[in-house]
Amino acid sequence: MSGVLSSSHPAAGAVAPATRTRDPRVAGGAPTRTSAARGGTGATRPRRGVLSRRAAFWLVAVTTSTLLAASSAPSPLYPVLQARFRFSSSTLTVVFAVYVLALLASLLTVGRLSDHVGRRPLLAAALLVDAAAMVVFLSADGVGALVVARVVQGVATGAAVGVVGAYLLDLQPADGSRLGSLVNSAAPTAGLGVGAAVTGLLVQYAPSPTHLVFAVFTGLFLVLAALVAVLPETVAPVPGAWSALRPRVSVPRAARRAFLGAVPTMVATWALGGLVLSVGGSLLGVVFGQTDHAVVGAVLGLFAAFGAVAAVLARDLGPAVTALSGSAALAAGTGMFAAALAAGSLPLFVVSAVVAGGGFGAAFLGALRSVTRLAQPHERAGLLSAVYVVSYLAFSVPAVVAGELIAELGLRATALWYAGLVGVLAVVSLLLASRAARRPATAARG
């Protein structure tokens, strides 16, 4: 779910609007030193032929969803590509993981660059690079090309996500609605769900689907790159671009206890997401005998889509309540996931995708808010980088390990062990969230 971290890719907990540019990786918004366009005042003079702030906001939101839709598009295709190029499950998980690691590296380095060079140039460049990745997919003739395509896509998506997260905050209405933070939370995961579902439909019903999917995204990225020209620029270029490329990973002292308590939630949510989006299609085919690619795409899309729904529903809840309810849903959903695998029940598997997906969205959002609220504005970038590192390593590394174990244990047994470990972490997360939710009440009585 490369995308939940974008508001998820960074913080979905909003703060009040500021009159300065926000760190592009903080959906909650740590003001930085450059000037942003808030309340109709831009960092540069208005240009002719530029979209209104409202129209620009929704164009950036569509761009966000498209980026993440493209990132999940290969998931329903993995079984098809695996059969065509005859590679193992361990290789499949490597193809998945290199994208995540490239995205992480890009976020940590290029993520803050738009504060210095401007939003528009970096977004246009990232979209063009993503279009190039789609062309590599189109011409892929083996595993090597798939790995290259996923690495290039990861770099482009990481760079773009940093920009669009900041852009949405720059352009959101100055009415206190926190619409930028809400869209930052929902658009990436909604895009992941739509990408998987639409790809499944194309694979099942369209001609030449493995080419058509990437041809469509190539065209979309080229169009979106051209439309960047009509977006208002919200940041004036300032020096320091080279220093912005240096990753800052740190957990401030005030947030360390909360961060350690949130680690089980981060690992459980993203590890389950990594399993679903890497070998979920194979599970549906091998364990449940599901050969309809439209169904495969829909089920994978449900997991991500309900993560977005949960983020929207939980937007007004406190961090402790959000984390507690999300952890409970994650634990229940993971239990259903394991039961569905053991019984070979597709209907139960679909229900588990809905429940676990909702748990993913709420649990991670609650954990993220509980951590970021304890950091000072100048500390948030380093803290969110630490969240990225934990979450994306959990998203990729366990999936690769599972891919290696599949050759020894088989797909079903490996997935059951994996679900069991995630379930244990989800229960730990639930206990910690329950303790955190009781703490304020205890303090109030004292």
Side-chain angles (χ1 to χ4, degrees):
M1 300 199 39
S2 16
V4 182
L5 250 196
S6 97
S7 71
S8 109
H9 276 100
V15 297
T19 55
R20 292 177 291 168
T21 294
R22 300 175 182 269
D23 186 307
R25 298 177 302 165
V26 185
T32 61
R33 52 191 171 166
T34 57
S35 172
R38 311 263 328 155
T41 357
T44 57
R45 290 183 178 180
R47 298 176 294 115
R48 289 186 176 181
V50 173
L51 293 176
S52 67
R53 290 171 59 81
R54 181 181 178 83
F57 176 90
W58 290 112
L59 176 57
V60 174
V62 169
T63 301
T64 305
S65 292
T66 304
L67 285 161
L68 276 300
S71 74
S72 68
S75 291
L77 283 172
Y78 282 143
V80 177
L81 296 171
Q82 187 177 11
R84 172 178 296 180
F85 298 132
R86 299 184 179 182
F87 55 82
S88 66
S89 294
S90 61
T91 301
L92 186 157
T93 54
V94 169
V95 172
F96 169 79
V98 293
Y99 162 79
V100 180
L101 296 176
L103 188 150
L104 173 61
S106 182
L107 271 171
L108 292 177
T109 53
V110 187
R112 294 182 295 121
L113 192 58
S114 72
D115 275 349
H116 300 271
V117 302
R119 309 285 190 232
R120 293 171 62 245
L122 190 57
L123 180 56
L127 290 167
L128 291 173
V129 173
D130 225 337
M134 299 301 105
V135 172
V136 178
F137 273 120
L138 277 169
S139 58
D141 56 0
V143 174
L146 293 179
V147 170
V148 170
R150 284 302 258 173
V151 169
V152 175
Q153 186 183 26
V155 170
T157 304
V161 157
V163 182
V164 294
Y167 232 150
L168 287 169
L169 291 171
D170 294 346
L171 295 168
Q172 71 178 336
D175 57 3
S177 65
R178 302 191 303 179
L179 184 62
S181 294
L182 177 58
V183 174
N184 253 325
S185 302
T189 40
L192 287 169
V194 170
V198 170
T199 299
L201 287 170
L202 292 177
V203 173
Q204 185 66 30
Y205 299 113
S208 241
T210 55
H211 290 85
L212 180 61
V213 170
F214 299 115
V216 168
F217 278 113
T218 301
L220 287 173
F221 285 134
L222 291 175
V223 169
L224 289 170
L227 288 175
V228 170
V230 299
L231 289 174
E233 179 56 80
T234 57
V235 172
V238 295
W242 285 111
S243 62
L245 296 175
R246 186 172 61 251
R248 292 186 294 169
V249 181
S250 62
V251 179
R253 183 181 300 276
R256 286 176 189 172
R257 180 175 178 179
F259 183 87
L260 288 174
V263 165
T265 303
M266 297 179 207
V267 174
T269 52
W270 288 94
L272 183 60
L275 178 70
V276 171
L277 293 179
S278 60
V279 299
S282 298
L283 282 171
L284 285 161
V286 173
V287 176
F288 303 105
Q290 184 54 250
T291 58
D292 188 317
H293 296 289
V295 174
V296 171
V299 174
L300 298 182
L302 281 174
F303 179 83
F306 273 83
V309 170
V312 173
L313 294 178
R315 66 188 183 277
D316 293 324
L317 298 177
V321 174
T322 303
L324 180 61
S325 58
S327 297
L330 182 67
T334 305
M336 294 178 190
F337 182 90
L341 290 174
S345 171
L346 180 59
L348 184 56
F349 188 82
V350 173
V351 173
S352 75
V354 171
V355 176
F360 176 103
F364 182 74
L365 179 61
L368 194 60
R369 284 177 171 172
S370 69
V371 170
T372 54
R373 65 180 180 149
L374 299 176
Q376 297 300 315
H378 67 280
E379 298 172 328
R380 288 188 185 132
L383 174 59
L384 285 166
S385 293
V387 172
Y388 291 143
V389 170
V390 172
S391 300
Y392 283 136
L393 289 179
F395 196 36
S396 55
V397 174
V400 173
V401 174
E404 295 295 329
L405 291 175
I406 287 171
E408 300 294 329
L409 303 177
L411 183 59
R412 187 200 297 258
T414 300
L416 279 169
W417 277 103
Y418 196 113
L421 292 173
V422 171
V424 170
L425 285 172
V427 171
V428 171
S429 173
L430 177 60
L431 293 174
L432 291 173
S434 177
R435 181 180 176 185
R438 289 196 306 268
R439 194 175 296 132
T442 303
R445 286 195 301 269

